[in-house]
Protein backbone atom coordinates (compact mmCIF):
# COMPACT_ATOMS: atom_id res chain seq x y z
CA UNK A 1 0.00 0.00 0.00
CA UNK A 2 1.32 3.47 -0.94
CA UNK A 3 1.59 6.20 1.67
CA UNK A 4 -0.60 9.19 0.76
CA UNK A 5 0.24 12.54 2.33
CA UNK A 6 -3.06 14.41 2.62
CA UNK A 7 -3.56 17.57 4.68
CA UNK A 8 -7.01 18.79 5.64
CA UNK A 9 -7.52 22.47 6.40
CA UNK A 10 -10.50 23.15 8.61
CA UNK A 11 -12.00 26.61 8.49
CA UNK A 12 -10.55 27.38 5.06
CA UNK A 13 -13.93 27.75 3.39
CA UNK A 14 -13.28 24.77 1.07
CA UNK A 15 -15.30 21.65 1.94
CA UNK A 16 -13.24 18.75 3.27
CA UNK A 17 -14.58 16.47 0.56
CA UNK A 18 -13.37 18.91 -2.12
CA UNK A 19 -9.93 19.23 -0.48
CA UNK A 20 -9.54 15.45 -0.43
CA UNK A 21 -10.64 15.03 -4.04
CA UNK A 22 -8.36 17.82 -5.29
CA UNK A 23 -5.26 16.50 -3.53
CA UNK A 24 -5.60 12.88 -4.64
CA UNK A 25 -6.45 13.88 -8.21
CA UNK A 26 -3.49 16.26 -8.39
CA UNK A 27 -1.06 13.65 -7.05
CA UNK A 28 -2.19 11.19 -9.74
CA UNK A 29 -1.91 13.69 -12.59
CA UNK A 30 1.55 14.81 -11.42
CA UNK A 31 2.77 11.21 -11.02
CA UNK A 32 3.23 11.35 -7.27
CA UNK A 33 0.77 8.45 -7.21
CA UNK A 34 1.73 6.17 -10.09
CA UNK A 35 -0.09 3.49 -12.06
CA UNK A 36 -0.69 0.42 -9.87
CA UNK A 37 -0.15 2.19 -6.56
CA UNK A 38 -2.62 0.98 -3.95
CA UNK A 39 -4.45 3.59 -1.89
CA UNK A 40 -5.26 3.19 1.80
CA UNK A 41 -8.66 1.71 2.54
CA UNK A 42 -11.42 4.17 3.29
CA UNK A 43 -11.40 3.12 6.94
CA UNK A 44 -7.62 3.58 7.28
CA UNK A 45 -7.60 6.99 5.63
CA UNK A 46 -10.60 8.15 7.66
CA UNK A 47 -8.86 7.17 10.89
CA UNK A 48 -5.66 8.93 9.80
CA UNK A 49 -7.39 12.19 8.86
CA UNK A 50 -10.04 12.07 11.60
CA UNK A 51 -12.88 12.52 9.16
CA UNK A 52 -15.97 10.56 8.19
CA UNK A 53 -15.36 7.32 6.30
CA UNK A 54 -18.35 8.15 4.09
CA UNK A 55 -16.45 11.19 2.72
CA UNK A 56 -13.55 8.93 1.72
CA UNK A 57 -15.89 6.47 0.03
CA UNK A 58 -17.60 9.26 -1.94
CA UNK A 59 -14.28 10.71 -3.12
CA UNK A 60 -12.93 7.30 -4.16
CA UNK A 61 -16.14 6.56 -6.06
CA UNK A 62 -15.91 9.92 -7.85
CA UNK A 63 -12.29 9.32 -8.85
CA UNK A 64 -13.15 5.83 -10.07
CA UNK A 65 -15.99 7.20 -12.21
CA UNK A 66 -13.59 9.74 -13.77
CA UNK A 67 -10.97 7.09 -14.53
CA UNK A 68 -8.28 8.09 -12.03
CA UNK A 69 -8.76 5.02 -9.83
CA UNK A 70 -9.90 1.46 -10.30
CA UNK A 71 -11.09 -1.13 -7.80
CA UNK A 72 -10.19 -4.78 -7.68
CA UNK A 73 -12.64 -7.06 -5.90
CA UNK A 74 -11.28 -8.23 -2.58
CA UNK A 75 -7.99 -6.40 -3.15
CA UNK A 76 -8.55 -2.65 -2.83
CA UNK A 77 -8.35 0.62 -4.76
CA UNK A 78 -5.49 1.36 -7.19
CA UNK A 79 -4.29 4.18 -9.44
CA UNK A 80 -5.54 3.50 -12.97
CA UNK A 81 -3.34 3.36 -16.05
CA UNK A 82 -3.00 6.49 -18.22
CA UNK A 83 -3.92 9.09 -15.61
CA UNK A 84 -0.45 10.70 -15.42
CA UNK A 85 0.09 13.84 -17.49
CA UNK A 86 3.70 14.82 -18.13
CA UNK A 87 4.24 18.56 -17.79
CA UNK A 88 7.04 21.00 -18.53
CA UNK A 89 5.96 23.28 -15.68
CA UNK A 90 4.05 23.18 -12.43
CA UNK A 91 0.64 24.75 -12.97
CA UNK A 92 0.49 25.76 -9.30
CA UNK A 93 3.59 27.89 -9.66
CA UNK A 94 3.16 29.33 -13.13
CA UNK A 95 0.24 30.98 -14.88
CA UNK A 96 0.29 32.25 -18.44
CA UNK A 97 -2.09 34.95 -17.27
CA UNK A 98 -0.14 35.90 -14.19
CA UNK A 99 1.50 39.03 -15.55
CA UNK A 100 -1.90 40.45 -16.46
CA UNK A 101 -3.60 39.66 -13.16
CA UNK A 102 -1.30 41.66 -10.94
CA UNK A 103 -0.58 45.28 -11.78
CA UNK A 104 3.05 46.36 -11.52
CA UNK A 105 3.64 48.40 -8.42
CA UNK A 106 4.58 52.07 -8.75
CA UNK A 107 4.32 52.05 -12.56
CA UNK A 108 2.70 55.16 -14.02
CA UNK A 109 0.96 54.10 -17.21
CA UNK A 110 -0.01 56.77 -19.76
CA UNK A 111 -2.06 54.29 -21.78
CA UNK A 112 -4.67 55.98 -23.95
CA UNK A 113 -8.36 55.17 -24.11
CA UNK A 114 -8.77 54.24 -20.44
CA UNK A 115 -11.33 56.32 -18.53
CA UNK A 116 -11.10 57.10 -14.83
CA UNK A 117 -11.93 53.63 -13.57
CA UNK A 118 -12.33 54.78 -9.98
CA UNK A 119 -15.02 57.24 -11.08
CA UNK A 120 -17.43 54.67 -12.48
CA UNK A 121 -20.87 55.53 -11.04
CA UNK A 122 -21.13 52.32 -9.03
CA UNK A 123 -23.84 53.40 -6.64
CA UNK A 124 -26.26 54.60 -9.32
CA UNK A 125 -25.47 51.73 -11.66
CA UNK A 126 -25.92 49.19 -8.87
CA UNK A 127 -29.22 50.70 -7.76
CA UNK A 128 -30.60 50.54 -11.32
CA UNK A 129 -29.22 47.02 -11.81
CA UNK A 130 -30.99 45.72 -8.71
CA UNK A 131 -34.23 47.26 -9.91
CA UNK A 132 -33.85 45.82 -13.42
CA UNK A 133 -33.14 42.31 -12.13
CA UNK A 134 -36.03 42.51 -9.69
CA UNK A 135 -38.65 43.77 -12.19
CA UNK A 136 -37.56 42.07 -15.43
CA UNK A 137 -40.16 39.72 -16.96
CA UNK A 138 -39.19 36.04 -17.28
CA UNK A 139 -38.56 36.21 -21.05
CA UNK A 140 -35.65 38.59 -20.49
CA UNK A 141 -33.72 35.67 -18.96
CA UNK A 142 -33.87 33.74 -22.26
CA UNK A 143 -32.25 34.15 -25.67
CA UNK A 144 -32.89 37.58 -27.13
CA UNK A 145 -32.53 39.50 -30.38
CA UNK A 146 -29.12 39.84 -32.07
CA UNK A 147 -29.58 43.55 -32.74
CA UNK A 148 -30.08 44.28 -29.04
CA UNK A 149 -32.88 45.41 -26.77
CA UNK A 150 -35.29 47.86 -28.39
CA UNK A 151 -35.44 50.11 -25.32
CA UNK A 152 -31.68 50.69 -25.53
CA UNK A 153 -31.68 51.16 -29.31
CA UNK A 154 -34.56 53.63 -29.08
CA UNK A 155 -32.98 55.56 -26.20
CA UNK A 156 -29.58 55.56 -27.88
CA UNK A 157 -30.94 56.79 -31.23
CA UNK A 158 -32.58 59.76 -29.50
CA UNK A 159 -29.44 60.54 -27.51
CA UNK A 160 -27.17 60.39 -30.57
CA UNK A 161 -29.55 62.54 -32.60
CA UNK A 162 -29.46 65.21 -29.90
CA UNK A 163 -25.74 65.11 -29.04
CA UNK A 164 -23.96 63.92 -32.21
CA UNK A 165 -26.26 64.84 -35.09
CA UNK A 166 -26.87 61.19 -36.01
CA UNK A 167 -29.83 60.41 -38.27
CA UNK A 168 -31.19 56.92 -37.78
CA UNK A 169 -34.14 54.76 -36.85
CA UNK A 170 -33.69 52.33 -33.92
CA UNK A 171 -33.87 49.47 -36.44
CA UNK A 172 -30.58 50.69 -37.94
CA UNK A 173 -28.83 50.18 -34.60
CA UNK A 174 -27.06 46.98 -33.58
CA UNK A 175 -25.69 46.64 -30.07
CA UNK A 176 -22.25 45.01 -30.01
CA UNK A 177 -19.81 43.67 -27.45
CA UNK A 178 -17.72 46.81 -27.55
CA UNK A 179 -16.36 48.57 -30.61
CA UNK A 180 -13.97 45.69 -31.25
CA UNK A 181 -16.81 43.38 -32.22
CA UNK A 182 -18.28 46.14 -34.37
CA UNK A 183 -15.02 46.34 -36.34
CA UNK A 184 -15.04 42.58 -36.82
CA UNK A 185 -18.62 42.64 -38.06
CA UNK A 186 -17.78 45.42 -40.52
CA UNK A 187 -14.84 43.41 -41.86
CA UNK A 188 -17.14 40.45 -42.54
CA UNK A 189 -19.98 42.62 -43.80
CA UNK A 190 -17.99 44.60 -46.35
CA UNK A 191 -15.10 42.25 -47.01
CA UNK A 192 -16.53 40.39 -50.01
CA UNK A 193 -16.67 43.44 -52.24
CA UNK A 194 -12.98 44.27 -52.42
CA UNK A 195 -9.84 43.58 -50.41
CA UNK A 196 -8.56 47.17 -50.25
CA UNK A 197 -9.37 49.67 -47.50
CA UNK A 198 -8.67 53.39 -47.59
CA UNK A 199 -7.43 54.08 -44.08
CA UNK A 200 -5.83 56.86 -42.05
CA UNK A 201 -2.13 56.61 -41.30
CA UNK A 202 -1.42 56.48 -38.41
CA UNK A 203 -4.42 54.59 -37.07
CA UNK A 204 -4.83 52.44 -33.99
CA UNK A 205 -2.88 49.19 -34.27
CA UNK A 206 -5.92 47.22 -33.09
CA UNK A 207 -7.86 48.33 -36.17
CA UNK A 208 -4.99 47.34 -38.42
CA UNK A 209 -4.86 43.90 -36.83
CA UNK A 210 -8.60 43.27 -37.17
CA UNK A 211 -8.78 44.36 -40.81
CA UNK A 212 -5.52 42.72 -41.93
CA UNK A 213 -6.51 39.41 -40.32
CA UNK A 214 -9.73 39.59 -42.36
CA UNK A 215 -7.63 39.73 -45.53
CA UNK A 216 -7.73 43.44 -46.32
CA UNK A 217 -4.91 45.37 -47.96
CA UNK A 218 -4.39 48.94 -46.80
CA UNK A 219 -4.35 52.08 -48.89
CA UNK A 220 -2.83 54.35 -46.22
CA UNK A 221 -3.54 58.08 -46.40
CA UNK A 222 -1.47 60.49 -44.30
CA UNK A 223 -3.11 62.85 -41.82
CA UNK A 224 -2.39 66.36 -40.66
CA UNK A 225 -3.93 68.72 -38.12
CA UNK A 226 -7.18 68.59 -40.12
CA UNK A 227 -7.51 64.83 -40.39
CA UNK A 228 -7.14 62.60 -43.43
CA UNK A 229 -5.47 64.34 -46.39
CA UNK A 230 -8.16 63.39 -48.87
CA UNK A 231 -6.19 64.64 -51.88
CA UNK A 232 -3.85 61.65 -51.40
CA UNK A 233 -6.57 59.04 -52.05
CA UNK A 234 -5.83 57.16 -55.25
CA UNK A 235 -7.66 53.87 -54.65
CA UNK A 236 -9.95 52.93 -57.52
CA UNK A 237 -12.55 50.66 -55.96
CA UNK A 238 -12.06 50.19 -52.19
CA UNK A 239 -14.24 48.10 -49.91
CA UNK A 240 -14.64 51.05 -47.56
CA UNK A 241 -12.96 54.14 -46.11
CA UNK A 242 -12.03 54.11 -42.43
CA UNK A 243 -11.83 57.46 -40.61
CA UNK A 244 -11.93 58.96 -37.10
CA UNK A 245 -13.21 62.39 -38.20
CA UNK A 246 -14.17 63.96 -34.88
CA UNK A 247 -10.87 63.16 -33.14
CA UNK A 248 -8.27 61.47 -35.32
CA UNK A 249 -6.44 58.69 -33.51
CA UNK A 250 -3.78 59.22 -32.44
CA UNK A 251 -2.79 62.71 -33.70
CA UNK A 252 -6.07 64.33 -32.65
CA UNK A 253 -7.09 66.45 -35.65
CA UNK A 254 -10.69 67.21 -36.63
CA UNK A 255 -11.64 66.45 -40.24
CA UNK A 256 -12.78 69.66 -41.93
CA UNK A 257 -16.17 69.92 -43.58
CA UNK A 258 -14.47 70.27 -46.99
CA UNK A 259 -12.64 66.97 -46.55
CA UNK A 260 -15.78 65.28 -45.20
CA UNK A 261 -17.67 66.31 -48.31
CA UNK A 262 -14.81 65.11 -50.52
CA UNK A 263 -14.93 61.69 -48.83
CA UNK A 264 -18.69 61.47 -49.28
CA UNK A 265 -18.40 62.36 -52.98
CA UNK A 266 -15.69 59.71 -53.38
CA UNK A 267 -17.84 57.09 -51.61
CA UNK A 268 -20.83 57.90 -53.81
CA UNK A 269 -18.76 57.74 -56.99
CA UNK A 270 -17.12 54.41 -56.15
CA UNK A 271 -20.13 52.86 -54.42
CA UNK A 272 -18.20 52.15 -51.22
CA UNK A 273 -19.07 52.99 -47.62
CA UNK A 274 -17.41 55.25 -45.07
CA UNK A 275 -16.80 53.66 -41.66
CA UNK A 276 -16.78 56.37 -39.00
CA UNK A 277 -15.23 55.51 -35.64
CA UNK A 278 -16.50 58.04 -33.09
CA UNK A 279 -14.61 56.64 -30.14
CA UNK A 280 -14.30 59.49 -27.60
CA UNK A 281 -15.68 62.73 -29.01
CA UNK A 282 -18.09 63.22 -26.06
CA UNK A 283 -15.19 64.70 -24.11
CA UNK A 284 -14.54 68.01 -25.85
CA UNK A 285 -13.13 70.70 -23.58
CA UNK A 286 -13.67 73.82 -25.66
CA UNK A 287 -16.89 74.55 -27.51
CA UNK A 288 -19.45 71.89 -28.36
CA UNK A 289 -18.73 68.36 -29.64
CA UNK A 290 -18.06 68.15 -33.37
CA UNK A 291 -20.98 66.71 -35.34
CA UNK A 292 -20.53 63.27 -36.86
CA UNK A 293 -20.21 62.47 -40.56
CA UNK A 294 -23.12 60.05 -40.49
CA UNK A 295 -25.60 62.94 -40.31
CA UNK A 296 -24.32 64.23 -43.66
CA UNK A 297 -25.06 61.00 -45.54
CA UNK A 298 -26.77 58.20 -43.58
CA UNK A 299 -26.90 56.06 -46.75
CA UNK A 300 -23.12 55.99 -47.15
CA UNK A 301 -21.76 56.11 -43.58
CA UNK A 302 -21.48 53.26 -41.07
CA UNK A 303 -21.17 54.77 -37.59
CA UNK A 304 -19.39 53.01 -34.70
CA UNK A 305 -19.54 54.08 -31.07
CA UNK A 306 -18.70 52.64 -27.68
CA UNK A 307 -19.34 53.12 -23.97
CA UNK A 308 -15.85 51.91 -23.06
CA UNK A 309 -14.44 55.44 -22.93
CA UNK A 310 -17.55 57.08 -21.45
CA UNK A 311 -18.18 54.56 -18.65
CA UNK A 312 -16.00 51.44 -18.53
CA UNK A 313 -14.37 48.93 -20.91
CA UNK A 314 -15.67 46.16 -18.63
CA UNK A 315 -19.26 46.74 -19.77
CA UNK A 316 -18.40 45.52 -23.31
CA UNK A 317 -21.12 47.63 -24.89
CA UNK A 318 -20.76 49.33 -28.24
CA UNK A 319 -22.97 49.89 -31.24
CA UNK A 320 -23.19 50.08 -35.00
CA UNK A 321 -25.47 52.38 -37.00
CA UNK A 322 -25.90 51.04 -40.50
CA UNK A 323 -27.48 52.18 -43.76
CA UNK A 324 -30.81 50.33 -44.12
CA UNK A 325 -29.55 48.05 -46.90
CA UNK A 326 -26.85 46.60 -44.59
CA UNK A 327 -28.86 46.01 -41.40
CA UNK A 328 -30.37 42.59 -42.18
CA UNK A 329 -27.06 41.00 -43.14
CA UNK A 330 -25.30 42.54 -40.14
CA UNK A 331 -27.96 41.22 -37.76
CA UNK A 332 -27.35 37.75 -39.15
CA UNK A 333 -23.60 38.13 -38.67
CA UNK A 334 -24.12 39.28 -35.11
CA UNK A 335 -26.33 36.25 -34.42
CA UNK A 336 -23.66 33.92 -35.86
CA UNK A 337 -21.05 35.67 -33.72
CA UNK A 338 -22.57 35.46 -30.22
CA UNK A 339 -26.38 35.45 -30.50
CA UNK A 340 -26.65 38.77 -28.65
CA UNK A 341 -24.85 41.02 -26.21
CA UNK A 342 -25.59 40.88 -22.48
CA UNK A 343 -29.30 41.60 -22.05
CA UNK A 344 -29.14 42.93 -18.51
CA UNK A 345 -26.24 45.29 -19.17
CA UNK A 346 -28.30 46.71 -22.03
CA UNK A 347 -31.37 47.16 -19.87
CA UNK A 348 -29.40 48.83 -17.08
CA UNK A 349 -27.70 51.15 -19.57
CA UNK A 350 -31.04 52.08 -21.14
CA UNK A 351 -32.45 53.10 -17.76
CA UNK A 352 -29.20 54.86 -16.85
CA UNK A 353 -29.59 56.96 -20.00
CA UNK A 354 -33.35 57.51 -19.75
CA UNK A 355 -33.00 58.89 -16.23
CA UNK A 356 -30.32 61.37 -17.35
CA UNK A 357 -27.40 59.80 -15.50
CA UNK A 358 -25.20 59.37 -18.58
CA UNK A 359 -25.19 63.03 -19.51
CA UNK A 360 -24.61 64.01 -15.88
CA UNK A 361 -21.67 61.62 -15.74
CA UNK A 362 -20.18 62.99 -18.97
CA UNK A 363 -20.53 66.56 -17.70
CA UNK A 364 -18.81 65.63 -14.44
CA UNK A 365 -15.99 63.75 -16.15
CA UNK A 366 -15.33 66.52 -18.66
CA UNK A 367 -14.37 68.80 -15.77
CA UNK A 368 -12.07 66.16 -14.30
CA UNK A 369 -10.44 65.26 -17.62
CA UNK A 370 -9.95 68.93 -18.52
CA UNK A 371 -7.96 69.42 -15.31
CA UNK A 372 -5.89 66.31 -16.03
CA UNK A 373 -5.20 67.45 -19.58
CA UNK A 374 -4.20 70.92 -18.43
CA UNK A 375 -1.94 69.40 -15.76
CA UNK A 376 -0.26 67.17 -18.34
CA UNK A 377 0.36 70.06 -20.73
CA UNK A 378 1.66 72.23 -17.90
CA UNK A 379 4.08 69.49 -16.75
CA UNK A 380 5.34 68.89 -20.28
CA UNK A 381 5.98 72.58 -20.87
CA UNK A 382 7.61 72.96 -17.45
CA UNK A 383 9.92 69.97 -17.85
CA UNK A 384 10.75 70.26 -21.56
CA UNK A 385 10.13 73.94 -22.36
CA UNK A 386 10.54 74.66 -26.09
CA UNK A 387 11.67 71.10 -26.83
CA UNK A 388 8.11 69.71 -26.87
CA UNK A 389 5.07 70.42 -29.04
CA UNK A 390 1.54 69.30 -28.21
CA UNK A 391 -0.66 67.81 -30.94
CA UNK A 392 -4.36 67.12 -30.90
CA UNK A 393 -7.60 69.01 -30.56
CA UNK A 394 -8.78 69.48 -26.99
CA UNK A 395 -10.91 66.35 -27.09
CA UNK A 396 -10.79 62.83 -25.69
CA UNK A 397 -8.52 61.11 -23.19
CA UNK A 398 -5.05 61.54 -24.70
CA UNK A 399 -2.69 63.93 -26.42
CA UNK A 400 0.42 63.52 -28.55
CA UNK A 401 3.75 65.04 -27.52
CA UNK A 402 6.42 65.68 -30.18
CA UNK A 403 10.00 66.03 -28.92
CA UNK A 404 12.74 67.86 -30.81
CA UNK A 405 15.85 65.79 -31.27
CA UNK A 406 14.40 62.62 -29.75
CA UNK A 407 13.74 59.30 -31.44
CA UNK A 408 11.71 56.84 -29.45
CA UNK A 409 13.81 53.83 -30.38
CA UNK A 410 13.64 50.44 -28.73
CA UNK A 411 16.56 51.41 -26.49
CA UNK A 412 14.91 54.66 -25.44
CA UNK A 413 11.68 52.84 -24.66
CA UNK A 414 13.56 50.28 -22.54
CA UNK A 415 15.14 53.10 -20.55
CA UNK A 416 11.76 54.72 -20.01
CA UNK A 417 10.26 51.40 -18.88
CA UNK A 418 13.16 50.96 -16.46
CA UNK A 419 12.10 54.21 -14.78
CA UNK A 420 8.66 52.68 -14.15
CA UNK A 421 6.72 54.86 -16.53
CA UNK A 422 4.92 53.69 -19.66
CA UNK A 423 4.42 55.84 -22.74
CA UNK A 424 3.42 54.76 -26.24
CA UNK A 425 5.20 55.76 -29.48
CA UNK A 426 2.98 56.95 -32.32
CA UNK A 427 5.10 54.70 -34.55
CA UNK A 428 3.33 51.68 -33.04
CA UNK A 429 0.24 52.79 -34.95
CA UNK A 430 1.78 53.82 -38.27
CA UNK A 431 1.47 51.84 -41.50
CA UNK A 432 4.25 53.64 -43.36
CA UNK A 433 7.05 53.88 -40.81
CA UNK A 434 9.48 56.61 -39.66
CA UNK A 435 7.28 59.70 -40.14
CA UNK A 436 6.39 59.99 -36.44
CA UNK A 437 9.36 58.50 -34.59
CA UNK A 438 9.70 61.54 -32.29
CA UNK A 439 6.11 61.48 -31.01
CA UNK A 440 4.49 59.65 -28.11
CA UNK A 441 0.87 59.17 -27.03
CA UNK A 442 0.09 60.20 -23.47
CA UNK A 443 -3.26 59.10 -22.06
CA UNK A 444 -4.43 60.90 -18.94
CA UNK A 445 -7.96 59.59 -18.31
CA UNK A 446 -7.03 57.10 -15.58
CA UNK A 447 -4.26 59.08 -13.89
CA UNK A 448 -4.51 61.47 -10.96
CA UNK A 449 -2.82 64.87 -10.98
CA UNK A 450 0.06 63.70 -8.77
CA UNK A 451 0.64 60.64 -10.97
CA UNK A 452 0.76 62.83 -14.05
CA UNK A 453 3.33 65.14 -12.46
CA UNK A 454 5.49 62.25 -11.23
CA UNK A 455 5.22 60.41 -14.55
CA UNK A 456 6.46 63.38 -16.58
CA UNK A 457 9.27 63.92 -14.07
CA UNK A 458 10.39 60.31 -14.60
CA UNK A 459 10.16 60.79 -18.36
CA UNK A 460 12.39 63.87 -18.14
CA UNK A 461 14.97 61.95 -16.11
CA UNK A 462 15.40 59.63 -19.12
CA UNK A 463 15.06 62.02 -22.04
CA UNK A 464 17.34 64.78 -20.67
CA UNK A 465 20.31 62.60 -21.63
CA UNK A 466 19.09 62.28 -25.22
CA UNK A 467 19.32 65.90 -26.27
Amino acid sequence: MTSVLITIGRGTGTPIKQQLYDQIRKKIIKGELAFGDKLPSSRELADELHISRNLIVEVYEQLVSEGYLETKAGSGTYVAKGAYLERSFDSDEYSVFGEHLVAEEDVIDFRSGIPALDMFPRKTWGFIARRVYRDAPPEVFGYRHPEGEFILRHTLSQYLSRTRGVKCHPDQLIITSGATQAFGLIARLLGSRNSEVVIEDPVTHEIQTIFSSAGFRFHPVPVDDYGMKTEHISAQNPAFIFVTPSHQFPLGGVLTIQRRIQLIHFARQTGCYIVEDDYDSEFRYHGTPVSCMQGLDPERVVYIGTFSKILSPALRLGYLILPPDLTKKCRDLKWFSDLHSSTFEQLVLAQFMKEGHLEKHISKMKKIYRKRREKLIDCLNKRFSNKVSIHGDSTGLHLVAEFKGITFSDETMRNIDAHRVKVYPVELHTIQKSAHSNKIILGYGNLGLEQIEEGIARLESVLKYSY
Side-chain angles (χ1 to χ4, degrees):
M1 182 177 66
T2 303
S3 174
V4 181
L5 179 61
I6 300 292
T7 58
I8 296 298
R10 291 172 171 79
T12 64
T14 302
I16 292 175
K17 178 180 174 181
Q18 186 66 45
Q19 293 183 50
L20 184 62
Y21 168 85
D22 288 339
Q23 291 185 56
I24 296 176
R25 175 182 173 276
K26 188 179 297 182
K27 289 179 181 296
I28 294 171
I29 289 178
K30 293 170 68 174
E32 294 176 19
L33 287 173
F35 166 55
D37 284 349
K38 183 179 181 181
L39 272 67
S41 70
S42 58
R43 188 182 303 278
E44 292 169 332
L45 191 55
D47 290 343
E48 179 182 334
L49 299 177
H50 305 290
I51 62 177
S52 167
R53 180 187 176 193
N54 289 337
L55 287 179
I56 310 292
V57 172
E58 289 178 20
V59 169
Y60 278 9
E61 288 177 348
Q62 180 66 30
L63 291 168
V64 168
S65 70
E66 294 181 22
Y68 292 98
L69 301 176
E70 59 183 4
T71 58
K72 297 179 181 179
S75 178
T77 304
Y78 298 82
V79 175
K81 185 177 182 180
Y84 163 63
L85 177 63
E86 184 177 358
R87 298 183 176 214
S88 58
F89 61 88
D90 189 333
S91 60
D92 290 338
E93 298 176 359
Y94 174 86
S95 170
V96 69
F97 302 111
E99 60 180 331
H100 303 296
L101 291 174
V102 181
E104 294 182 75
E105 293 183 6
D106 195 34
V107 171
I108 298 174
D109 192 346
F110 285 93
R111 181 179 174 183
S112 64
I114 307 295
L117 301 179
D118 61 333
M119 298 299 292
F120 181 80
R122 297 188 190 198
K123 185 175 180 180
T124 302
W125 189 272
F127 178 78
I128 295 174
R130 287 191 295 272
R131 192 172 72 220
V132 167
Y133 274 92
R134 182 191 67 207
D135 299 339
E139 57 268 22
V140 168
F141 290 84
Y143 291 111
R144 301 294 285 174
H145 313 292
E147 65 270 25
E149 295 301 303
F150 179 79
I151 187 174
L152 177 57
R153 291 185 288 113
H154 177 70
T155 304
L156 187 53
S157 65
Q158 291 181 322
Y159 166 79
L160 293 172
S161 173
R162 185 176 66 255
T163 63
R164 305 294 299 118
V166 165
K167 296 178 182 178
C168 76
H169 186 276
D171 288 346
Q172 293 173 252
L173 263 160
I174 293 179
I175 305 301
T176 61
S177 298
T180 301
Q181 186 184 46
F183 297 137
L185 291 172
I186 288 299
R188 295 166 64 189
L189 184 68
L190 303 179
S192 60
R193 183 177 181 275
N194 195 293
S195 61
E196 187 173 39
V197 175
V198 174
I199 193 167
E200 298 169 331
D201 185 17
V203 66
T204 174
H205 184 70
E206 178 188 48
I207 297 295
Q208 296 180 47
T209 301
I210 292 171
F211 290 158
S212 62
S213 65
F216 288 107
R217 292 178 292 105
F218 296 142
H219 176 76
V221 180
V223 302
D224 59 18
D225 291 340
Y226 306 102
M228 179 185 279
K229 299 171 75 171
T230 52
E231 67 273 18
H232 289 262
I233 299 176
S234 59
Q236 298 299 310
N237 191 31
F240 59 91
I241 305 163
F242 182 85
V243 286
T244 51
S246 297
H247 187 220
Q248 200 280 326
F249 184 89
L251 298 184
V254 175
L255 194 66
T256 63
I257 184 60
Q258 292 81 9
R259 292 182 178 181
R260 293 178 186 223
I261 290 173
Q262 289 171 4
L263 281 182
I264 289 172
H265 283 320
F266 178 82
R268 290 175 178 177
Q269 291 165 6
T270 59
C272 73
Y273 293 93
I274 298 168
V275 176
E276 176 181 11
D277 180 12
D278 197 16
Y279 64 99
D280 70 354
S281 60
E282 291 85 1
F283 299 117
R284 183 171 174 83
Y285 310 115
H286 299 289
T288 58
V290 179
S291 296
C292 67
M293 280 189 69
Q294 192 270 356
L296 296 174
D297 192 346
E299 303 296 318
R300 281 288 125 202
V301 179
V302 176
Y303 182 89
I304 297 176
T306 178
F307 290 94
S308 294
K309 312 298 186 295
I310 305 174
L311 288 169
S312 165
L315 295 179
R316 305 314 305 140
L317 286 174
Y319 52 91
L320 274 166
I321 298 177
L322 298 145
D325 59 321
L326 295 178
T327 55
K328 172 61 169 64
K329 184 177 179 182
C330 195
R331 284 177 191 168
D332 292 342
L333 290 173
K334 169 65 175 173
W335 187 85
F336 296 147
S337 174
D338 64 357
L339 297 182
H340 58 81
S341 298
S342 170
T343 299
F344 282 98
E345 297 290 9
Q346 293 183 58
L347 295 176
V348 175
L349 177 58
Q351 291 302 320
F352 188 82
M353 296 178 70
K354 284 171 69 68
E355 295 173 15
H357 301 298
L358 180 67
E359 291 181 72
K360 289 179 183 177
H361 181 71
I362 291 173
S363 178
K364 173 184 176 181
M365 297 313 300
K366 281 173 67 173
K367 296 174 184 177
I368 293 172
Y369 293 145
R370 182 188 291 114
K371 289 182 180 178
R372 294 180 180 186
R373 179 185 179 86
E374 290 171 352
K375 180 68 171 180
L376 178 56
I377 293 173
D378 180 65
C379 289
L380 286 167
N381 289 329
K382 177 183 176 181
R383 294 284 180 176
F384 299 100
S385 186
N386 62 346
K387 297 175 182 178
V388 67
S389 300
I390 307 300
H391 293 268
D393 191 71
S394 55
T395 302
L397 303 178
H398 78 274
L399 57 76
V400 168
E402 178 179 2
F403 293 83
K404 297 177 182 177
I406 297 291
T407 297
F408 288 94
S409 63
D410 290 343
E411 181 180 359
T412 301
M413 293 306 301
R414 283 194 294 270
N415 289 336
I416 294 172
D417 286 346
H419 283 70
R420 307 194 72 71
V421 61
K422 290 186 179 295
V423 300
Y424 299 86
V426 170
E427 280 291 295
L428 291 174
H429 303 283
T430 58
I431 299 172
Q432 297 177 326
K433 299 298 181 182
S434 78
H436 303 282
S437 59
N438 62 341
K439 301 183 183 77
I440 55 173
I441 304 166
L442 296 170
Y444 49 82
N446 195 37
L447 293 176
L449 300 181
E450 293 182 0
Q451 289 177 300
I452 290 171
E453 185 169 9
E454 174 62 22
I456 298 305
R458 294 181 189 182
L459 184 64
E460 183 203 24
S461 67
V462 178
L463 296 187
K464 65 183 180 182
Y465 298 109
S466 302
Y467 291 111

